[in-house]
Amino acid sequence: MMELRIGVIGTGGIGRDHIRRLTDVITGAKVTAVTDINKEIADKAAKQYHALSFPTGEDLIESPEVDAVLIASWDPTHAGYVLSCIQAGKYVLCEKPLATTARDCLKIMDAEMSYGKRLVQVGFMRRYDKDYRAMKEVIQSGRIGEPLLVHACHRNRTHITSHSNDMTVTNSGIHEIDILRWLLEEEYASAQVLTGKQNKNAAEGLQDPQILLLKTKNGVQIGIEVNMTSGYGYDIQCEIVGETGTVRLPDPSALLIRSEGKHTHQIFTEWSQRFVDAYDNELQQWVNDVKKATLSGPSAWDGYAACITADALIRSRNSGTSVPVTLQRRPEFYD
Ligand code: NAD
Ligand code: ISE
């Protein structure tokens, strides 16, 4: 296969950015088809990138002009499109989350296992960030001893008007759930959400910030601040405390400026600025893998493990108590 022909579902913020990336940055792929429930923006993207514009996601998935599919539509639409891709026997990179409930993730795993081969990858792109990768190497080297505690922080400057309490977990916190599970290489045992004084700049009724508490099966205690209304910028922090040392995610490199009696450096304001290299690496690796017919990125099992944890966190916020995270037995298919 010379160039992998990709169809993109959802031509909003990240969909358009991925189309640009696949066209200008990634080698070995081209975007041949797009679709969006907003026909106007789909047609605009199709015109700009010389792609076909399809009336529905299902039409795009079935098209002979499409070898593989990238899903970048709203979270609740993911599961249905992933199932259609499996039915059509096409590789699919689904933006996170894989689904909004663990039940839908199970349906996806069942369909993929019945198909008999991995077709699904989830867009947990932080696993492709060089600094998180370096943190993992430090943990695995034993230099900080066994991990004991994690302090993490996911601050968005502001939130979209449709943001809900659950989305703080399923849309934003889900990145932390996945990356910490990947860094520590263990599953979670329990989950709890704490809420407190509300930021008056958040939408009415939005519990913001929320503190997500997770405990792994080996007892590592994790505290994650998910803040949708930091007001100052997009700020991702992560520190792992081990028995003999700590390792911390660095801030992105930025010029230090001394001027007008101040010493400053810039902080990003939007998520789209923070992990650019990780998105590039993720998509290049996915294209290479699909061409070799062997996926190596985050699987439907990883999507399921994240969703079941998110479900537990939401139950905890509703009940006010810590709740167990109970995963099904991991099928050998996902080893
Ligand atoms: P967005 O609202 O800017 O774009 C989503 C687009 O999907 C919209 O244009 C909307 O019209 C379209 N859409 C909705 N339902 C559809 C359907 N049934 N079929 C086709 N198109 C449909 O949102 P966004 O910020 O681009 O986010 C899109 C997805 O990407 C979300 O699932 C989000 O969680 C994920 N995302 C991931 C990252 C990351 O860091 N990995 C960052 C941002 C967004
Ligand atoms: C968005 O959908 C993303 O995935 C960003 O990475 C995340 O930081 C942001 O909070 C989400 O809304």
Side-chain angles (χ1 to χ4, degrees):
M1 188 190 300
M2 290 296 285
E3 273 188 320
L4 186 72
R5 298 168 308 162
I6 299 174
V8 176
I9 300 180
T11 56
I14 203 166
R16 279 199 304 275
D17 201 32
H18 281 333
I19 295 171
R20 174 202 58 76
R21 176 170 285 115
L22 287 164
T23 308
D24 297 341
V25 182
I26 305 303
T27 56
K30 68 174 173 186
V31 175
T32 50
V34 298
T35 187
D36 196 291
I37 45 162
N38 180 340
K39 184 173 163 15
E40 203 179 313
I41 62 167
D43 287 350
K44 195 169 163 203
K47 191 164 172 214
Q48 183 177 355
Y49 291 97
H50 311 290
L52 300 166
S53 179
F54 282 90
T56 70
E58 284 76 13
D59 292 330
L60 176 144
I61 291 165
E62 280 160 25
S63 165
E65 298 300 316
V66 169
D67 302 316
V69 177
L70 192 158
I71 300 174
S73 46
W74 292 328
D75 298 0
T77 67
H78 293 183
Y81 285 140
V82 172
L83 286 167
S84 299
C85 289
I86 297 172
Q87 203 172 4
K90 293 195 178 174
Y91 286 99
V92 53
L93 174 56
C94 177
E95 263 306 341
K96 41 58 58 178
L98 177 59
T100 47
T101 64
R103 210 159 50 99
D104 277 347
C105 294
L106 287 172
K107 276 193 209 156
I108 289 170
M109 286 195 292
D110 283 346
E112 192 176 37
M113 286 189 281
S114 300
Y115 184 79
K117 175 172 122 181
R118 264 199 69 191
L119 292 176
V120 180
Q121 180 164 325
V122 185
F124 288 131
M125 83 302 165
R126 287 192 191 177
R127 295 179 181 210
Y128 297 85
D129 175 69
K130 71 174 178 17
D131 294 325
Y132 275 119
R133 286 187 165 199
M135 282 181 86
K136 186 159 176 163
E137 275 176 30
V138 169
I139 296 166
Q140 290 185 331
S141 74
R143 279 180 64 191
I144 63 164
E146 286 289 314
L148 302 173
L149 300 171
V150 180
H151 308 290
C153 175
H154 184 138
R155 298 193 184 128
N156 295 267
R157 185 174 57 85
T158 183
H159 61 80
I160 53 171
T161 43
S162 55
H163 190 87
S164 65
N165 281 322
D166 288 357
M167 283 172 74
T168 292
V169 176
T170 60
N171 183 270
S172 299
I174 200 105
H175 281 296
E176 309 301 324
I177 295 169
D178 179 70
I179 199 67
L180 297 176
R181 182 178 164 266
W182 177 81
L183 278 173
L184 298 170
E185 291 200 340
E186 39 164 344
E187 301 297 358
Y188 301 117
S190 64
Q192 186 168 12
V193 175
L194 303 181
T195 56
K197 185 169 175 181
Q198 301 301 295
N199 186 334
K200 64 177 179 322
N201 297 316
E204 207 183 327
L206 186 65
Q207 293 178 310
D208 189 62
Q210 298 182 28
I211 305 286
L212 315 186
L213 300 178
L214 295 168
K215 189 172 176 179
T216 68
K217 291 209 158 144
N218 282 328
V220 180
Q221 288 278 11
I222 299 171
I224 308 164
E225 168 195 330
V226 185
N227 188 333
M228 301 308 301
T229 329
S230 80
Y232 71 89
Y234 183 79
D235 199 0
I236 301 299
Q237 297 175 21
C238 180
E239 180 178 31
I240 307 221
V241 180
E243 292 167 307
T244 58
T246 73
V247 59
R248 192 185 176 92
L249 188 73
D251 283 337
S253 84
L255 294 179
L256 298 172
I257 301 174
R258 288 177 167 82
S259 84
E260 298 172 344
K262 290 189 202 115
H263 183 186
T264 57
H265 71 87
Q266 192 131 4
I267 295 178
F268 290 140
T269 53
E270 310 304 326
W271 58 259
S272 52
Q273 303 161 327
R274 176 63 179 84
F275 289 108
V276 173
D277 291 348
Y279 294 118
D280 290 352
N281 295 337
E282 173 197 37
L283 260 60
Q284 186 64 69
Q285 186 67 53
W286 178 65
V287 166
N288 297 348
D289 285 350
V290 170
K291 290 170 96 169
K292 285 188 283 174
T294 317
L295 294 185
S296 61
S299 67
W301 171 261
D302 296 312
Y304 162 73
C307 267
I308 208 141
T309 310
D311 284 359
L313 285 162
I314 289 168
R315 281 205 314 280
S316 156
R317 201 188 49 235
N318 295 337
S319 69
T321 56
S322 170
V323 304
V325 177
T326 313
L327 288 177
Q328 292 215 341
R329 201 178 57 78
R330 180 181 174 124
E332 275 173 26
F333 184 88
Y334 291 107
D335 283 346

